[in-house]
Amino acid sequence: MCKILLLLHKIQTFNDLHYMIRRIIFFLVASSTLIYSCKPKSETKLDSWKDVYTNAYTNHDYVAAVVALNHLLVTDTANAAKYYDSLAYYSIKKLKNFDAGKRYTDKGLLMNPDNAMLLEFKGIFLGSENNMDDAKNCILKAYKISGLNKHKYMYASLKFSSDNDLDDYIKTINEILYGGAKQEYFEANVDAGTTQIVDLKSSCYLDKAKISLNSNKIKESLVYLDSALLYSPNFQEAMFYKEKITTGK
């Protein structure tokens, strides 16, 4: 009788143990399923918005690109600085939403004060507000970070606007033109609402042409305009000045 009871006890213990093992296995499988089903969904959702952003800017749909970036900004806070950088660029350069661009620029600089592009934007905004000293400081900092001649050129232009030192301005232009600099591009104004990308040297030659024209050195001015158009054949402002000189209009 005792042996039977002992055997029954062992069977019950085995069943209890087997039940516990099955419960543990079930818990582990359920947990794994939960982890598998939740984490990838979050990552997939994030990746989907990145895909929307990539698809939008690839197809030049900058409104959709900004929407996607704003969504990523609130869902992927670890990369917020990167998103502010892109939001500022698309708002200013593509959508001409300067109020939004200014806000994104300021927020981006709070997170990354050494972002040369955002410093460039900040300098332009400050210059438009006639805050020349702070504008020059932003552009000079951008130049020290980037080493780009376009920032050197922008700083020289701001400095010339504020202190009217023509000799120093010409010196900077000549350094860019004749100092063996690598090719760079610059966004030049066509009219109040339109810009075009030209070779930086074209813009420098145009400035030299304007300076010569201001001194009534017509032939010299034409030589500089031809040089500007050599680097950027469709440079609208250079074409305008050349036509003005040659037609006398």
Side-chain angles (χ1 to χ4, degrees):
M1 182 68 179
C2 291
K3 288 183 178 181
I4 294 173
L5 290 174
L6 183 60
L7 179 61
L8 289 173
H9 176 72
K10 286 182 178 180
I11 292 171
Q12 183 61 41
T13 302
F14 175 79
N15 288 337
D16 289 344
L17 182 61
H18 185 64
Y19 174 76
M20 287 176 61
I21 291 172
R22 282 191 294 133
R23 289 280 295 174
I24 290 170
I25 292 172
F26 174 79
F27 176 76
L28 290 173
V29 170
S31 298
S32 300
T33 304
L34 185 64
I35 293 170
Y36 180 78
S37 61
C38 292
K39 187 175 180 181
K41 279 184 181 178
S42 176
E43 291 177 352
T44 301
K45 191 174 182 181
L46 187 63
D47 289 340
S48 294
W49 278 104
K50 289 179 179 178
D51 290 340
V52 170
Y53 167 61
T54 301
N55 185 67
Y57 80 72
T58 300
N59 291 288
H60 308 291
D61 184 355
Y62 302 114
V63 173
V66 166
V67 171
L69 283 168
N70 269 296
H71 188 89
L72 288 167
L73 188 66
V74 297
T75 56
D76 185 21
T77 55
N79 291 305
K82 179 175 66 176
Y83 299 137
Y84 277 125
D85 178 301
S86 298
L87 280 164
Y89 175 80
Y90 287 117
S91 296
I92 295 167
K93 297 296 186 180
K94 302 300 182 182
L95 301 179
K96 309 299 181 184
N97 186 344
F98 300 115
D99 184 56
K102 184 178 180 181
R103 292 171 185 270
Y104 290 135
T105 295
D106 289 339
K107 289 179 179 180
L109 284 172
L110 285 175
M111 304 189 75
N112 184 6
D114 293 330
N115 185 306
M117 184 185 73
L118 294 181
L119 285 166
E120 176 187 328
F121 293 161
K122 182 68 174 179
I124 292 171
F125 282 125
L126 289 168
S128 68
E129 296 165 0
N130 208 31
N131 187 347
M132 301 305 290
D133 288 337
D134 287 341
K136 285 188 290 186
N137 288 336
C138 281
I139 300 300
L140 182 59
K141 184 178 179 181
Y143 172 60
K144 289 179 178 178
I145 293 168
S146 72
L148 293 174
N149 275 322
K150 77 165 186 173
H151 290 141
K152 182 178 183 178
Y153 174 70
M154 291 173 69
Y155 175 74
S157 299
L158 286 169
K159 192 169 181 291
F160 177 57
S161 297
S162 63
D163 58 25
N164 204 33
D165 188 344
L166 181 59
D167 290 337
D168 186 58
Y169 186 53
I170 292 174
K171 179 183 176 182
T172 300
I173 290 174
N174 286 339
E175 287 173 355
I176 295 171
L177 286 173
Y178 314 123
K182 294 180 180 179
Q183 187 178 42
E184 289 183 29
Y185 292 96
F186 183 74
E187 189 170 10
N189 291 322
V190 175
D191 53 43
T194 311
T195 60
Q196 70 173 139
I197 304 299
V198 299
D199 193 296
L200 178 59
K201 289 185 177 181
S202 292
S203 194
C204 290
Y205 275 122
L206 176 62
D207 286 353
K208 288 176 76 73
K210 290 178 181 178
I211 293 167
S212 296
L213 189 60
N214 193 54
S215 301
N216 205 33
K217 298 177 181 178
I218 307 300
K219 289 184 178 179
E220 185 177 275
S221 180
L222 283 170
V223 170
Y224 289 137
L225 287 171
D226 285 339
S227 296
L229 291 167
L230 182 64
Y231 282 96
S232 302
N234 194 37
F235 190 1
Q236 296 298 304
E237 191 175 3
M239 292 169 69
F240 166 78
Y241 272 95
K242 184 172 181 178
E243 183 180 2
K244 185 178 180 181
I245 293 171
T246 53
T247 61
K249 294 181 180 180

